[in-house]
Amino acid sequence: MFQTIQNRIALISVDGDPSAKTGQEEAGGQNVYVHQVGMALAEQGWQVDMFTRRSSPRQATIVPHHPNCRTIRLNAGPAEFIGRDHLFDYLPEFVAEFQKFQQQQGLYYPIVHTNYWLSAWVGMELKKRQPLIQVHTYHSLGAVKYRSVGHIPVIAIQRLAVEKACLETADRVVATSPQEQKHLRILVSHRGRTEMIPCGTDLQKFGGLPRLEAREKLGIAPDAKMVFYVGRFDRRKGIETLVKAISQSKFRGEGKLKLVIGGGSRPGYIDGMECDRITNIVAELGLEDITIFPGSLDHSILPYYYAAADVCVVPSHYEPFGLVAIEAMASQTPVVASDVGGLQFTVVPEVTGLLAPPKNDLAFADAIDRILANPSWRDELGVAGRERVEIAFSWNSVASRLSQLYLRLMMQAAEQYQNQPQIFAA
Ligand code: UDP
């Protein structure tokens, strides 16, 4: 017998564990998004179960986060880290385990919100087997990403096909920026229903720390010119552009420049190799004395870094949304970002920061220097950034908009499935 609680929702994120430590290989914005959306929906009264894949035998099967929100880890393939490009073959097992979990617990999820293309496939398969509403967020689009990378993996054909099928069949696709919505239409399919609901950030956690207090905590001199990057070590993130830009900064000679590159990496993995490559470039350009690699920064210390910085740089080659930009803005720190994807939506040039062409280190150097040269303009940009985030990007407002979307879809489905009103009654 199924428990038919209408406000029960499954967030599926096969490859992005919402309980994982972020900032390491393949643990970034998607993990944060699923966790924060889950928690905010739970606060708003939804019963949220966040499903992911077990990637270590030591991991608990169920992690409670809130009376209404928990992470559930299903077995799908060996309990070890497996890169996203190698997970597809384990998805049928994930689908079977999801259904087994429902059966064993006597639960039923009328809404399944899937994340990234791997989970899109899981949602589409589940939809063949049980009545459900599928909402999907891509987090990254193969059709855009493969245009900016040198190496296209074997799985690309499969991924592009799943992304297209999902757009055409999901009850709703959530695009996180108008740019992503446009890419979906132009590069994926002209069919399918999309709605733009952005990502959010934590307005309490990020913001409110005075710059000098943050610097004291981190041991950064009050008069240093601090440039900050945080994120995964991945070529797509364009860290090389930032390092080259810093080597050309006009402040380099003054001895005050400080470059902080935050993010975790593991020797022997792709992020470890990228970290080594960046470390070598830093050495080649003679920037070792002014560069700090603090490693992975968890959210208890990260707000100090944002607050301490004069400027936060997001030099990605491609960025579907880019949480780091709005975290920095929430912290009243101006952002210099690549003029791509969701960064064109979050960063308002000359108002909350500056945009520069991707991979163009000279343009980045110029933009960074303009902000470093003018502390009162830096502060104005910071205040405007905070205002923009308060208006447009809180997790609560994101969850409210998602909640309204789910309810609307449930009402439509209730009409469609008139013979099973207990399932979709809103
Ligand atoms: N992050 C973190 N610690 C780190 C590096 C990154 O907490 O050392 C977090 C960062 O605060 C942000 C997320 O990881 O919330 C990265 O998201 P973004 O959308 O910027 O990039 P993605 O990883 O999705 O490409």
Side-chain angles (χ1 to χ4, degrees), residues 27 35 43 54 59 63 66 75 135 183 247 305 316 344 410:
H35 184 92
E43 281 292 326
R54 184 194 302 283
Q59 287 172 329
V63 185
H66 177 280
N75 293 321
V135 174
H183 284 145
S247 77
Y305 280 89
S316 313
Q344 295 170 324
M410 283 171 84

Side-chain angles (χ1 to χ4, degrees), residues 22-23 28-29 32 230 232 236-237 263 296-297 299 302 323-324 327:
T22 45
V32 174
V230 63
R232 291 176 298 113
R236 157 172 97 72
K237 290 290 180 184
S296 174
L297 300 171
H299 278 203
L302 182 55
L323 284 177
V324 163
E327 289 167 2

Side-chain angles (χ1 to χ4, degrees), residues 19-52:
S19 306
K21 190 173 169 193
T22 45
Q24 289 192 342
E25 186 174 7
E26 299 193 1
Q30 181 183 331
N31 309 58
V32 174
Y33 176 93
V34 176
H35 184 92
Q36 296 291 344
V37 162
M39 292 294 280
L41 288 171
E43 281 292 326
Q44 295 182 14
W46 291 83
Q47 296 280 326
V48 186
D49 282 343
M50 310 188 286
F51 290 87
T52 190

